[in-house]
Amino acid sequence: QVQLVESGGGSVQAGGSLRLSCAAFGDIYSGDCMGWFRQAPGKEREKVAAIYTGTSTYYADSVQGRFTISQDNAKNTVYLQMNSLKPEDTAMYYCAASYGGNWCLTKFGTDFNYWGRGTQVTVSS
C-alpha cells in the first residue's frame, strides 16, 4: 500500500511562488512515476507535471517554463516548484504515483495507481 501526503498549498498573489511537496510512504520509490495533477471547479482534471526514473520529466504546455518537478530520493518526496503564478493556476493540486513506464511522461498518461488528498492553491490577481 502507498500513501501520498501533499503539503505546501496556500494563497498567493499573481507573480508569486509556491512549492508543493508530496511525501510518499510505502512501496513506491524514486524510480517510479510521480506526477502532479490539478482540478479547478467546473473543469476537468489536468496533468501538470510528471517525473520518471528520477530524471525524465513532463510538463503541460500551460506550465512549461514556470513549474519545475523534482524529487529527493532520500526523503522519498516529490516537489513542484511553481513560479510566476497566474490566477488560472488556481486549483486543487493532487500528487499521484504509479509503477511507471514511458506513458508516465505523456499528456494522456493519467492512469496512476495512487493519489493524495490534494492541497489547494489560490492565486489572486
Side-chain angles (χ1 to χ4, degrees):
Q1 190 66 15
V2 173
Q3 184 182 12
L4 304 174
V5 180
E6 302 104 332
S7 61
S11 297
V12 66
Q13 288 192 328
S17 298
L18 285 173
R19 189 178 79 157
L20 305 183
S21 299
C22 172
F25 303 92
D27 191 22
I28 198 86
Y29 301 102
S30 59
D32 291 313
C33 175
M34 302 291 293
W36 286 98
F37 291 75
R38 67 185 181 187
Q39 188 165 22
K43 294 189 177 181
E44 293 188 356
R45 185 181 64 190
E46 177 187 19
K47 185 176 182 178
V48 174
I51 187 166
Y52 178 50
T53 67
T55 55
S56 298
T57 57
Y58 160 86
Y59 295 99
D61 289 344
S62 57
V63 306
Q64 181 75 47
R66 300 188 298 121
F67 290 12
T68 302
I69 188 170
S70 62
Q71 64 184 83
D72 183 329
N73 296 338
K75 296 181 179 180
N76 219 22
T77 297
V78 175
Y79 303 98
L80 186 68
Q81 178 67 43
M82 306 185 295
N83 298 329
S84 302
L85 282 162
K86 304 175 181 179
E88 51 263 45
D89 294 319
T90 296
M92 185 70 80
Y93 283 70
Y94 297 91
C95 177
S98 193
Y99 308 110
N102 288 331
W103 62 266
C104 176
L105 304 176
T106 66
K107 178 179 180 179
F108 298 107
T110 59
D111 191 19
F112 283 66
N113 298 110
Y114 305 102
W115 295 82
R117 293 188 174 185
T119 186
Q120 178 68 36
V121 171
T122 302
V123 184
S124 58
S125 57

